[in-house]
Amino acid sequence: MIKVSKDKEIRNRLLAIDILRELKNSYTYRELSEIFGIQETLICRYVNGNTVPSDVQSMEIISKVKNKEFLLKFFRNKIKVLEDGYIDSSQLLLYPNLLKLLLELYLTKVLQQDAVDKIFSIATNGVPFATIASLILDKPLLIAKKHKDSINLEYYEESLKETDSVVNNIYLRKDLIRKNDRILIVDDVIKSGKTISSSIKLLQKAGARVVGILVLVGNLDNIKYLKDENIQVIFNI
């Protein structure tokens, strides 16, 4: 029992250092000092690995960062909407520890940990976010693709209308999913909802049930292809 407590203490202290290092990419030492109430020189020593914060100070650092308003403000500035309408969320992946804290907050809103069996995403952009969710919930990750990896494998397939003139298929290996699996869909961006709608149909063909949908960025007012699904969009833009 003592060993477990000590392990957790060490993990928290290392996490606090990783958080400070990630924040240092966006804030000066002075700004970090104002945020955490810690001397600039001491923060510098933490970031550079010259010393490690105490257990108490580590928990204070984690507590101040693990705040919905702080994380939303921090990451909102990292999301870019380009002139052609493309939503670029790739910069969020430069801050894995902070992103994990943000996803933890929202995963609890979408579902309880024991209510999901597998995490699902479509290759490619949503996969890193789905991977983090998979690690948080300690659940297997399913990845649907727009091609078959082998003719020797069996797949469920569903059509995906990319544009008015382009229709592709998405494929999910049959040996990776079971009937009645409870699925959480995780994706990076949602626009009209066509991709997620096709994903739901694909999963239904496998006899699985979608219990929640978590998306990083989107506009709920523009979603046309989803109605009663349990969907949580973190950044509604």
Side-chain angles (χ1 to χ4, degrees):
M1 191 71 175
I2 296 176
K3 185 178 185 298
V4 173
S5 179
K6 189 66 176 179
D7 287 345
K8 185 176 181 181
E9 177 185 324
I10 294 173
R11 288 196 299 269
N12 286 335
R13 295 172 76 178
L14 295 176
L15 173 59
I17 293 174
D18 288 335
I19 287 172
L20 290 175
R21 286 174 174 169
E22 289 182 6
L23 291 174
K24 183 60 183 66
N25 293 321
S26 298
Y27 296 102
T28 65
Y29 282 120
R30 176 174 293 182
E31 290 171 332
L32 290 176
S33 176
E34 293 174 354
I35 292 172
F36 295 106
I38 303 173
Q39 292 180 353
E40 292 180 49
T41 54
L42 192 52
I43 292 180
C44 180
R45 293 174 64 190
Y46 293 157
V47 171
N48 293 328
N50 296 323
T51 189
V52 178
S54 67
D55 183 45
V56 173
Q57 193 164 68
S58 297
M59 292 305 299
E60 290 176 353
I61 292 171
I62 296 171
S63 178
K64 287 185 178 181
V65 170
K66 196 173 183 179
N67 175 281
K68 180 180 177 182
E69 287 70 26
F70 178 89
L71 291 170
L72 287 178
K73 181 180 179 181
F74 178 82
F75 280 117
R76 180 62 183 83
N77 295 329
K78 313 299 180 188
I79 300 171
K80 308 298 180 184
V81 181
L82 306 184
E83 292 182 0
D84 60 359
Y86 175 72
I87 300 175
D88 183 9
S89 61
S90 56
Q91 285 196 35
L92 276 65
L93 296 171
L94 298 177
Y95 309 91
N97 291 286
L98 294 169
L99 181 58
K100 181 174 181 289
L101 293 177
L102 177 66
L103 290 179
E104 284 175 346
L105 293 175
Y106 279 86
L107 283 169
T108 57
K109 285 187 175 183
V110 178
L111 43 76
Q112 298 295 324
Q113 184 170 346
D114 61 355
V116 60
D117 298 307
K118 294 182 174 74
I119 311 299
F120 172 93
S121 189
I122 293 182
T124 56
N125 290 347
V127 171
F129 302 101
T131 301
I132 296 175
S134 173
L135 293 172
I136 291 172
L137 296 178
D138 193 23
K139 299 296 181 180
L141 174 63
L142 299 175
I143 300 176
K145 301 180 180 180
K146 295 182 181 179
H147 66 273
K148 294 182 178 181
D149 293 315
S150 172
I151 60 173
N152 297 313
L153 295 170
E154 294 186 341
Y155 292 84
Y156 295 106
E157 63 180 87
E158 177 62 37
S159 61
L160 171 60
K161 189 175 182 181
E162 304 276 11
T163 66
D164 290 338
S165 58
V166 178
V167 177
N168 289 316
N169 287 334
I170 52 176
Y171 303 93
L172 179 63
R173 284 174 51 172
K174 289 186 176 182
D175 61 323
L176 300 181
I177 189 168
R178 296 179 179 179
K179 185 178 180 181
N180 297 321
D181 271 349
R182 296 166 295 183
I183 307 296
L184 169 67
I185 296 176
V186 177
D187 209 348
D188 61 329
V189 174
I190 186 171
K191 291 185 177 179
S192 65
K194 287 187 293 185
T195 300
I196 291 180
S197 177
S198 293
S199 297
I200 293 173
K201 293 176 183 177
L202 178 67
L203 292 165
Q204 288 175 339
K205 286 183 176 180
R209 179 168 59 93
V210 175
V211 296
I213 303 167
L214 179 64
V215 182
L216 269 291
V217 188
N219 189 324
L220 292 172
D221 295 331
N222 295 334
I223 298 175
K224 302 176 183 178
Y225 294 87
L226 300 173
K227 294 182 179 180
D228 301 323
E229 289 79 6
N230 175 22
I231 180 169
Q232 177 72 52
V233 176
I234 297 179
F235 296 98
N236 190 35
I237 63 173

PDB file of all heavy atoms in Angstrom, residues 30-46:
ATOM      1  N   ARG A  30       8.021  34.535 -16.457  1.00  0.00           N
ATOM      2  CA  ARG A  30       7.292  35.509 -15.630  1.00  0.00           C
ATOM      3  C   ARG A  30       5.803  35.194 -15.620  1.00  0.00           C
ATOM      4  O   ARG A  30       5.157  35.254 -14.561  1.00  0.00           O
ATOM      5  CB  ARG A  30       7.532  36.927 -16.153  1.00  0.00           C
ATOM      6  CG  ARG A  30       6.730  37.995 -15.402  1.00  0.00           C
ATOM      7  CD  ARG A  30       7.102  39.402 -15.838  1.00  0.00           C
ATOM      8  NE  ARG A  30       8.474  39.713 -15.434  1.00  0.00           N
ATOM      9  CZ  ARG A  30       9.053  40.888 -15.651  1.00  0.00           C
ATOM     10  NH1 ARG A  30       8.387  41.856 -16.287  1.00  0.00           N
ATOM     11  NH2 ARG A  30      10.287  41.112 -15.247  1.00  0.00           N
ATOM     12  N   GLU A  31       5.250  34.887 -16.794  1.00  0.00           N
ATOM     13  CA  GLU A  31       3.821  34.563 -16.866  1.00  0.00           C
ATOM     14  C   GLU A  31       3.510  33.281 -16.097  1.00  0.00           C
ATOM     15  O   GLU A  31       2.480  33.196 -15.402  1.00  0.00           O
ATOM     16  CB  GLU A  31       3.405  34.423 -18.328  1.00  0.00           C
ATOM     17  CG  GLU A  31       3.389  35.751 -19.084  1.00  0.00           C
ATOM     18  CD  GLU A  31       3.189  35.565 -20.578  1.00  0.00           C
ATOM     19  OE1 GLU A  31       3.584  34.493 -21.107  1.00  0.00           O
ATOM     20  OE2 GLU A  31       2.648  36.485 -21.215  1.00  0.00           O
ATOM     21  N   LEU A  32       4.382  32.296 -16.194  1.00  0.00           N
ATOM     22  CA  LEU A  32       4.180  31.060 -15.443  1.00  0.00           C
ATOM     23  C   LEU A  32       4.261  31.317 -13.943  1.00  0.00           C
ATOM     24  O   LEU A  32       3.520  30.711 -13.153  1.00  0.00           O
ATOM     25  CB  LEU A  32       5.221  30.014 -15.847  1.00  0.00           C
ATOM     26  CG  LEU A  32       5.082  29.426 -17.250  1.00  0.00           C
ATOM     27  CD1 LEU A  32       6.230  28.484 -17.557  1.00  0.00           C
ATOM     28  CD2 LEU A  32       3.749  28.691 -17.392  1.00  0.00           C
ATOM     29  N   SER A  33       5.154  32.220 -13.559  1.00  0.00           N
ATOM     30  CA  SER A  33       5.278  32.579 -12.149  1.00  0.00           C
ATOM     31  C   SER A  33       3.988  33.192 -11.621  1.00  0.00           C
ATOM     32  O   SER A  33       3.550  32.903 -10.504  1.00  0.00           O
ATOM     33  CB  SER A  33       6.442  33.549 -11.960  1.00  0.00           C
ATOM     34  OG  SER A  33       6.522  33.978 -10.613  1.00  0.00           O
ATOM     35  N   GLU A  34       3.358  34.029 -12.447  1.00  0.00           N
ATOM     36  CA  GLU A  34       2.100  34.665 -12.047  1.00  0.00           C
ATOM     37  C   GLU A  34       0.962  33.650 -11.987  1.00  0.00           C
ATOM     38  O   GLU A  34       0.086  33.733 -11.120  1.00  0.00           O
ATOM     39  CB  GLU A  34       1.765  35.782 -13.031  1.00  0.00           C
ATOM     40  CG  GLU A  34       2.740  36.963 -12.976  1.00  0.00           C
ATOM     41  CD  GLU A  34       2.468  37.984 -14.062  1.00  0.00           C
ATOM     42  OE1 GLU A  34       1.595  37.719 -14.931  1.00  0.00           O
ATOM     43  OE2 GLU A  34       3.120  39.048 -14.057  1.00  0.00           O
ATOM     44  N   ILE A  35       0.981  32.687 -12.890  1.00  0.00           N
ATOM     45  CA  ILE A  35      -0.086  31.677 -12.913  1.00  0.00           C
ATOM     46  C   ILE A  35      -0.026  30.766 -11.693  1.00  0.00           C
ATOM     47  O   ILE A  35      -1.043  30.494 -11.053  1.00  0.00           O
ATOM     48  CB  ILE A  35       0.013  30.818 -14.199  1.00  0.00           C
ATOM     49  CG1 ILE A  35      -0.329  31.661 -15.433  1.00  0.00           C
ATOM     50  CG2 ILE A  35      -0.922  29.607 -14.120  1.00  0.00           C
ATOM     51  CD1 ILE A  35      -0.068  30.948 -16.750  1.00  0.00           C
ATOM     52  N   PHE A  36       1.187  30.331 -11.347  1.00  0.00           N
ATOM     53  CA  PHE A  36       1.327  29.319 -10.298  1.00  0.00           C
ATOM     54  C   PHE A  36       1.789  29.884  -8.958  1.00  0.00           C
ATOM     55  O   PHE A  36       1.793  29.158  -7.959  1.00  0.00           O
ATOM     56  CB  PHE A  36       2.311  28.237 -10.748  1.00  0.00           C
ATOM     57  CG  PHE A  36       1.838  27.450 -11.933  1.00  0.00           C
ATOM     58  CD1 PHE A  36       2.384  27.652 -13.192  1.00  0.00           C
ATOM     59  CD2 PHE A  36       0.828  26.512 -11.801  1.00  0.00           C
ATOM     60  CE1 PHE A  36       1.952  26.935 -14.283  1.00  0.00           C
ATOM     61  CE2 PHE A  36       0.382  25.790 -12.893  1.00  0.00           C
ATOM     62  CZ  PHE A  36       0.942  26.003 -14.142  1.00  0.00           C
ATOM     63  N   GLY A  37       2.186  31.152  -8.924  1.00  0.00           N
ATOM     64  CA  GLY A  37       2.669  31.720  -7.669  1.00  0.00           C
ATOM     65  C   GLY A  37       3.972  31.116  -7.218  1.00  0.00           C
ATOM     66  O   GLY A  37       4.212  30.959  -6.018  1.00  0.00           O
ATOM     67  N   ILE A  38       4.810  30.764  -8.189  1.00  0.00           N
ATOM     68  CA  ILE A  38       6.116  30.166  -7.909  1.00  0.00           C
ATOM     69  C   ILE A  38       7.193  31.074  -8.500  1.00  0.00           C
ATOM     70  O   ILE A  38       7.012  31.632  -9.585  1.00  0.00           O
ATOM     71  CB  ILE A  38       6.229  28.752  -8.528  1.00  0.00           C
ATOM     72  CG1 ILE A  38       5.101  27.845  -8.006  1.00  0.00           C
ATOM     73  CG2 ILE A  38       7.581  28.130  -8.224  1.00  0.00           C
ATOM     74  CD1 ILE A  38       5.037  26.495  -8.698  1.00  0.00           C
ATOM     75  N   GLN A  39       8.296  31.215  -7.818  1.00  0.00           N
ATOM     76  CA  GLN A  39       9.370  32.072  -8.301  1.00  0.00           C
ATOM     77  C   GLN A  39       9.847  31.633  -9.690  1.00  0.00           C
ATOM     78  O   GLN A  39       9.923  30.445  -9.990  1.00  0.00           O
ATOM     79  CB  GLN A  39      10.556  32.040  -7.338  1.00  0.00           C
ATOM     80  CG  GLN A  39      10.283  32.684  -5.979  1.00  0.00           C
ATOM     81  CD  GLN A  39      11.498  32.620  -5.073  1.00  0.00           C
ATOM     82  OE1 GLN A  39      12.505  31.998  -5.393  1.00  0.00           O
ATOM     83  NE2 GLN A  39      11.399  33.274  -3.924  1.00  0.00           N
ATOM     84  N   GLU A  40      10.176  32.635 -10.517  1.00  0.00           N
ATOM     85  CA  GLU A  40      10.637  32.350 -11.879  1.00  0.00           C
ATOM     86  C   GLU A  40      11.859  31.428 -11.887  1.00  0.00           C
ATOM     87  O   GLU A  40      11.940  30.494 -12.692  1.00  0.00           O
ATOM     88  CB  GLU A  40      10.998  33.652 -12.596  1.00  0.00           C
ATOM     89  CG  GLU A  40       9.809  34.553 -12.896  1.00  0.00           C
ATOM     90  CD  GLU A  40      10.246  35.819 -13.602  1.00  0.00           C
ATOM     91  OE1 GLU A  40      11.003  35.724 -14.588  1.00  0.00           O
ATOM     92  OE2 GLU A  40       9.835  36.919 -13.168  1.00  0.00           O
ATOM     93  N   THR A  41      12.802  31.699 -11.007  1.00  0.00           N
ATOM     94  CA  THR A  41      14.028  30.897 -10.981  1.00  0.00           C
ATOM     95  C   THR A  41      13.737  29.440 -10.640  1.00  0.00           C
ATOM     96  O   THR A  41      14.380  28.526 -11.177  1.00  0.00           O
ATOM     97  CB  THR A  41      15.024  31.471  -9.966  1.00  0.00           C
ATOM     98  OG1 THR A  41      14.369  31.578  -8.677  1.00  0.00           O
ATOM     99  CG2 THR A  41      15.497  32.849 -10.390  1.00  0.00           C
ATOM    100  N   LEU A  42      12.754  29.223  -9.761  1.00  0.00           N
ATOM    101  CA  LEU A  42      12.406  27.864  -9.375  1.00  0.00           C
ATOM    102  C   LEU A  42      11.705  27.135 -10.526  1.00  0.00           C
ATOM    103  O   LEU A  42      11.983  25.960 -10.785  1.00  0.00           O
ATOM    104  CB  LEU A  42      11.512  27.879  -8.137  1.00  0.00           C
ATOM    105  CG  LEU A  42      11.281  26.533  -7.435  1.00  0.00           C
ATOM    106  CD1 LEU A  42      12.603  25.838  -7.134  1.00  0.00           C
ATOM    107  CD2 LEU A  42      10.471  26.735  -6.156  1.00  0.00           C
ATOM    108  N   ILE A  43      10.813  27.841 -11.222  1.00  0.00           N
ATOM    109  CA  ILE A  43      10.154  27.244 -12.388  1.00  0.00           C
ATOM    110  C   ILE A  43      11.187  26.885 -13.450  1.00  0.00           C
ATOM    111  O   ILE A  43      11.115  25.824 -14.078  1.00  0.00           O
ATOM    112  CB  ILE A  43       9.093  28.205 -12.962  1.00  0.00           C
ATOM    113  CG1 ILE A  43       7.923  28.351 -11.990  1.00  0.00           C
ATOM    114  CG2 ILE A  43       8.583  27.687 -14.320  1.00  0.00           C
ATOM    115  CD1 ILE A  43       6.826  29.265 -12.464  1.00  0.00           C
ATOM    116  N   CYS A  44      12.167  27.769 -13.634  1.00  0.00           N
ATOM    117  CA  CYS A  44      13.236  27.517 -14.595  1.00  0.00           C
ATOM    118  C   CYS A  44      13.997  26.236 -14.236  1.00  0.00           C
ATOM    119  O   CYS A  44      14.324  25.427 -15.102  1.00  0.00           O
ATOM    120  CB  CYS A  44      14.186  28.712 -14.644  1.00  0.00           C
ATOM    121  SG  CYS A  44      15.541  28.513 -15.809  1.00  0.00           S
ATOM    122  N   ARG A  45      14.239  26.037 -12.965  1.00  0.00           N
ATOM    123  CA  ARG A  45      14.952  24.833 -12.512  1.00  0.00           C
ATOM    124  C   ARG A  45      14.101  23.583 -12.738  1.00  0.00           C
ATOM    125  O   ARG A  45      14.632  22.526 -13.090  1.00  0.00           O
ATOM    126  CB  ARG A  45      15.326  24.982 -11.046  1.00  0.00           C
ATOM    127  CG  ARG A  45      16.374  26.066 -10.771  1.00  0.00           C
ATOM    128  CD  ARG A  45      16.594  26.275  -9.298  1.00  0.00           C
ATOM    129  NE  ARG A  45      17.139  25.079  -8.661  1.00  0.00           N
ATOM    130  CZ  ARG A  45      17.247  24.931  -7.341  1.00  0.00           C
ATOM    131  NH1 ARG A  45      16.834  25.888  -6.515  1.00  0.00           N
ATOM    132  NH2 ARG A  45      17.771  23.819  -6.833  1.00  0.00           N
ATOM    133  N   TYR A  46      12.787  23.698 -12.538  1.00  0.00           N
ATOM    134  CA  TYR A  46      11.899  22.572 -12.808  1.00  0.00           C
ATOM    135  C   TYR A  46      11.917  22.215 -14.291  1.00  0.00           C
ATOM    136  O   TYR A  46      12.056  21.048 -14.677  1.00  0.00           O
ATOM    137  CB  TYR A  46      10.460  22.896 -12.388  1.00  0.00           C
ATOM    138  CG  TYR A  46      10.248  23.063 -10.904  1.00  0.00           C
ATOM    139  CD1 TYR A  46       9.169  23.805 -10.410  1.00  0.00           C
ATOM    140  CD2 TYR A  46      11.106  22.482  -9.977  1.00  0.00           C
ATOM    141  CE1 TYR A  46       8.952  23.957  -9.056  1.00  0.00           C
ATOM    142  CE2 TYR A  46      10.903  22.632  -8.615  1.00  0.00           C
ATOM    143  CZ  TYR A  46       9.825  23.380  -8.150  1.00  0.00           C
ATOM    144  OH  TYR A  46       9.613  23.537  -6.804  1.00  0.00           O
TER     145      TYR A  46
END
